[in-house]
Amino acid sequence: MGAAIRHFTAIGPGDQVFTVNVERDFRYDPYRDFLACAHCGWSPSLLTTRRLDDMAWEHLADSHDATRGRSDQENESVRKARWVVLPLCAVLIIVLLVLVQS
Ligand SMILES: [Zn+2]
C-alpha cells in the first residue's frame, strides 16, 4: 500500500462525507499513483488517459450519490514537505550562483 497524498471528498445523502484517496506507491520508479475509495474498496485500473480527479468525482457521484461540497485536498504531510523542499531548493540555487560567480 502506498501513502495517501491527496483526498477527494464529497458530501452524499444524510450529510455523510465520502472520500477517495490518491495513494502514491514509492516502490515503483518512477512512483505510481493509485485511486482508492475509503468506503467500498473501489480501486480502478489507471491504464487510461483519464484524469484522476475526473474518475474520483465520477465514482463519488455514481456509487455514493455524493455530488455536493466537493473538495480536493492535499495530504497535510505532503503539503508540509513541499514547504521544506522549496526553501531548500532556493538556498541551493543561490549557493550555486555564488559559486559560479566567484
Ligand atoms: Zn466507493
Side-chain angles (χ1 to χ4, degrees), residues 6 8 22 35 50-58 72:
R6 206 166 158 195
F8 296 102
V22 179
L35 277 176
R50 299 188 56 203
R51 290 165 52 90
L52 286 181
D53 46 356
D54 285 344
M55 293 170 70
W57 297 135
E58 192 181 278
D72 168 2

Side-chain angles (χ1 to χ4, degrees), residues 32-84:
R32 290 186 195 172
D33 288 345
F34 296 88
L35 277 176
C37 179
H39 306 276
C40 68
W42 174 77
S43 189
S45 162
L46 296 182
L47 297 175
T48 163
T49 53
R50 299 188 56 203
R51 290 165 52 90
L52 286 181
D53 46 356
D54 285 344
M55 293 170 70
W57 297 135
E58 192 181 278
H59 173 76
L60 287 168
D62 289 354
S63 299
H64 302 292
D65 213 11
T67 52
R68 291 177 294 129
R70 286 176 175 183
S71 84
D72 168 2
Q73 287 187 321
E74 260 182 302
N75 187 289
E76 195 66 27
S77 58
V78 172
R79 196 161 41 204
K80 280 186 192 142
R82 194 166 42 210
W83 281 113
V84 174

